[in-house]
Amino acid sequence: MATSMFFEFLLDSLPKLLDGLQVTFLLTIVAILAGFLIGVTLALGRIYGNKIISGICIGFIEVIRGTPLLVQLFIIYFGLASIGLVFSPIQAALFGLSLNSSAYQAEYLRGSIQAIPSGQMVAARTLGMTKIQSIGTIVLPQALRISIPAWSNELIYLFKYTSIAYLIQVRELTAEGQIIASRNFRYVEIYLIIALIYLIFTFIISEIVDRAEKRFHVPGLGVPKRASWLRNT
Amino acid sequence: MPMLDVKNIHKSFETTEVLKGISFSMEKEETKVIIGTSGTGKSTLLRCLNQLDPPDEGEVWLDGEELTNPSIDINRIRQKIGFVFQDFNLFNHLTALRNVSIGLEKVKQLNKEKARERAMDELKRVGLEKQINQYPAQLSGGQKQRVGIARALAMDPDIILFDEPTSALDPELIGDVLDVMKSLYGKVAMLIVTHEMGFARNVADEIIFMEGGVIVEKGPPKQMFQSPTKQRTKEFLGRIATLYGAE
Ligand SMILES: Nc1ncnc2c1ncn2[C@@H]1O[C@H](COP(=O)(O)OP(=O)(O)OP(=O)(O)O)[C@@H](O)[C@H]1O
Ligand SMILES: [Mg+2]
């Protein structure tokens, strides 16, 4: 019957889809972490750097945010190859997604840093802390906490948008589904299954991040819920 | 040689000159109170002393070192100058205890355990042993300000600068903070900007009246309150008495 046929199909496709899911996870985790490190650097450079450093950071952030992710991936994968810089699909995707996410994370963090009252920095400097110590022990720990909701959105965004990597031949979840569907033409079923997998893990990720948010919560440190400057997911 | 020597400080913001030549000095463990109308440059003066806002002209000397010398290690000097803010500026992500110990750890390089012990002592001294694990948002204004004082004290400063420490407090909480400040009299030098005339009269060794970016008059409280020599001092004290209630 229809349902048993569906489950048979599901079981047959599952191993390949799980292979793809692993690649999706790899892309997501590397991009969120590398994007975080680069993003923190960009945000600090933009706020505290001299004119030149700040200008470079702003330029990078604006170029990334002003161009589509797909175009960025094409440039890295096809464009750079034409000048002799050859990346494998997965390398190009890891690189592109990390850079892309770093620009967004930098902007979320910048918003948070600028929301910290200036008196916090003044009080730290008054104790005799250097500027770097004040940023590291007073400003950043607060800014990172209030960035958690934005960061959680970014993680979920990334998890779903890694699917774009399929267009540069990365065999992540969506690509594996596409391959299966092109063999047996059962597009509706396979895409429903894929959508369900994304949905389940999106839910799990939100739950984990919510717990992290509670774990790091400090009374009185405002956590703006779902601020309007988040990118749409 | 006085402990703190302030010589002819000038400070402008853009085109307006806020401080127009301020000079005074303080001895070890002395307490002086600065009074004056709003916008007269009292906060600016305090910020010029620890070089948060470096003066344009003039010199500040502490313990025989010139702080206005650009080549001095100002972070080392700032440990010796406590600052207590009108709006507390406690570190919002840290408990009361960590607010006090963080400077000891990061600036004085004490290990965690030593810093913690010292912070406990200071919080006990200001009567907050029960609140050590509370975050700033969980403290009353008066408690916050006492943490602020403990944070300054923990660094073993030569002098503590207070910028209107009770102005943001509900009237019933002011007393606790003033009591703590009184208890520090003679133990550490204090330079206090305040409108609490009762406190100034009872505690200060000297009162400095500032107006229009200069020191109009200074002297012991008795003289300032009973027989000020300058007309402007008289007017100001008269006005403040009607505003805040004479004692
Ligand atoms: N960073 C700044 N930039 C420009 N102007 C400033 C700055 N800081 C202070 N001023 C100006 O300098 C003058 C003195 O300010 P200051 O805060 O020192 O006065 P104050 O005596 O502490 O007053 P209050 O009793 O209201 O606290 C004011 O006119 C103020 O507008
Ligand atoms: Mg002021």
Side-chain angles (χ1 to χ4, degrees):
Chain A
M1 289 226 327
T3 34
S4 70
M5 272 171 64
F6 177 78
F7 279 108
E8 214 168 284
F9 176 61
L10 177 66
L11 284 178
D12 284 349
S13 339
L14 216 48
K16 282 281 170 217
L17 292 181
L18 291 182
D19 285 349
L21 185 62
Q22 277 185 22
V23 176
T24 293
F25 274 129
L26 176 74
L27 291 173
T28 309
I29 291 166
V30 171
I32 197 79
L33 294 179
F36 175 73
L37 293 178
I38 305 168
V40 171
T41 312
L42 287 170
L44 294 178
R46 178 165 186 173
I47 295 175
Y48 299 109
N50 60 27
K51 276 216 172 79
I52 298 169
I53 291 176
S54 171
I56 293 172
C57 294
I58 292 173
F60 177 84
I61 291 167
E62 293 311 322
V63 166
I64 295 285
R65 297 197 326 145
T67 53
L69 173 57
L70 184 57
V71 174
Q72 292 160 15
L73 290 182
F74 280 171
I75 290 174
I76 291 167
Y77 185 58
F78 298 114
L80 294 185
S82 70
I83 59 164
L85 257 177
V86 181
F87 292 108
S88 69
I90 187 87
Q91 284 170 339
L94 288 172
F95 189 46
L97 286 165
S98 299
L99 288 186
N100 183 273
S101 183
S102 75
Y104 288 92
Q105 294 195 52
E107 284 300 271
Y108 302 152
L109 189 57
R110 181 171 72 101
S112 305
I113 290 175
Q114 289 174 338
I116 308 293
S118 60
Q120 296 286 303
M121 180 72 143
V122 170
R125 297 306 305 274
T126 301
L127 286 177
M129 287 192 203
T130 63
K131 191 165 178 184
I132 293 176
Q133 279 182 321
S134 309
I135 295 169
T137 57
I138 305 301
V139 177
L140 260 190
Q142 296 185 39
L144 290 176
R145 277 188 178 83
I146 61 179
S147 293
I148 291 178
W151 193 82
S152 129
N153 265 23
E154 178 64 16
L155 181 59
I156 287 166
Y157 173 94
L158 261 178
F159 177 65
K160 290 180 296 177
Y161 280 66
T162 51
S163 59
I164 282 184
Y166 132 71
L167 292 165
I168 56 167
Q169 278 85 56
V170 176
R171 293 185 61 166
E172 44 64 69
L173 179 57
T174 308
E176 290 292 357
Q178 171 72 18
I179 292 165
I180 294 168
S182 66
R183 286 202 195 111
N184 55 30
F185 304 105
R186 297 171 74 165
Y187 287 101
V188 176
E189 284 127 306
I190 200 74
Y191 286 129
L192 278 177
I193 292 169
I194 288 175
L196 192 64
I197 295 175
Y198 279 114
L199 193 61
I200 289 168
F201 282 97
T202 302
F203 179 75
I204 293 173
I205 292 169
S206 320
E207 279 299 303
I208 293 173
V209 179
D210 273 2
R211 284 200 191 156
E213 196 177 319
K214 290 203 183 89
R215 160 88 179 65
F216 290 112
H217 177 71
V218 164
L221 246 193
V223 180
K225 280 274 175 205
R226 305 289 176 257
S228 58
W229 35 269
L230 297 180
R231 64 166 138 178
N232 284 325
T233 55
Chain B
M1 189 178 60
M3 179 190 72
L4 175 76
D5 206 358
V6 180
K7 298 178 184 171
N8 195 29
I9 292 286
H10 287 258
K11 178 76 185 176
S12 302
F13 292 109
E14 272 128 56
T15 52
T16 42
E17 191 173 32
V18 175
L19 299 180
K20 303 171 181 166
I22 300 273
S23 304
F24 67 95
S25 62
M26 284 182 66
E27 300 297 335
K28 252 174 99 108
E29 287 150 23
E30 223 181 352
T31 292
K32 295 197 177 185
V33 165
I34 301 178
I35 58 174
T37 44
S38 181
T40 242
K42 304 179 300 290
S43 300
T44 306
L45 173 61
L46 294 190
R47 294 164 61 91
C48 275
L49 298 185
N50 73 352
Q51 311 299 307
L52 276 176
D53 266 336
D56 303 327
E57 217 184 291
E59 293 172 6
V60 179
W61 291 74
L62 182 71
D63 285 337
E65 288 187 286
E66 191 198 337
L67 314 193
T68 32
N69 181 344
S71 61
I72 201 165
D73 175 7
I74 194 62
N75 294 318
R76 175 176 61 81
I77 298 295
R78 286 201 182 122
Q79 301 172 39
K80 304 205 274 180
I81 309 178
F83 207 113
V84 174
F85 303 88
Q86 179 172 351
D87 44 6
F88 326 122
N89 288 346
L90 295 187
F91 303 128
N92 291 320
H93 63 308
L94 301 178
T95 60
L97 188 70
R98 293 282 294 147
N99 259 280
V100 180
S101 68
I102 191 118
L104 296 170
E105 279 174 37
K106 301 291 169 185
V107 179
K108 291 216 182 260
Q109 315 285 343
L110 258 61
N111 68 39
K112 260 202 148 83
E113 198 40 49
K114 280 237 167 64
R116 200 188 133 83
E117 276 169 27
R118 178 67 200 266
M120 287 278 247
D121 290 345
E122 294 303 342
L123 285 169
K124 262 184 212 145
R125 186 169 172 184
V126 299
L128 291 176
E129 56 269 61
K130 293 209 186 84
Q131 281 80 16
I132 56 169
N133 290 321
Q134 264 153 261
Y135 287 93
Q138 300 168 317
L139 298 171
S140 74
Q143 292 171 335
K144 280 186 207 168
Q145 195 57 297
R146 284 185 279 152
V147 175
I149 294 171
R151 177 171 70 176
L153 282 171
M155 302 297 283
D156 278 326
D158 290 340
I159 179 168
I160 303 182
L161 313 176
F162 293 81
D163 192 359
E164 302 198 30
T166 57
S167 293
L169 300 180
D170 293 336
E172 71 271 21
L173 300 176
I174 291 176
D176 290 346
V177 172
L178 293 181
D179 286 346
V180 167
M181 291 167 64
K182 261 180 219 160
S183 76
L184 301 179
Y185 179 81
K187 302 200 169 82
V188 58
M190 295 189 275
L191 181 60
I192 305 164
V193 174
T194 185
H195 295 298
E196 294 294 326
M197 290 304 146
F199 175 83
R201 193 196 305 241
N202 294 327
V203 181
D205 296 311
E206 184 175 76
I207 291 182
I208 299 174
F209 170 52
M210 265 178 79
E211 196 165 78
V214 296
I215 293 178
V216 173
E217 185 171 357
K218 58 187 173 194
K222 219 173 172 175
Q223 178 206 317
M224 290 289 277
F225 282 102
Q226 284 166 10
S227 49
T229 56
K230 297 278 182 359
Q231 186 57 28
R232 277 153 75 193
T233 316
K234 265 185 219 152
E235 284 167 15
F236 175 78
L237 289 173
R239 221 166 346 117
I240 209 102
T242 48
L243 264 178
Y244 292 87
E247 284 177 52

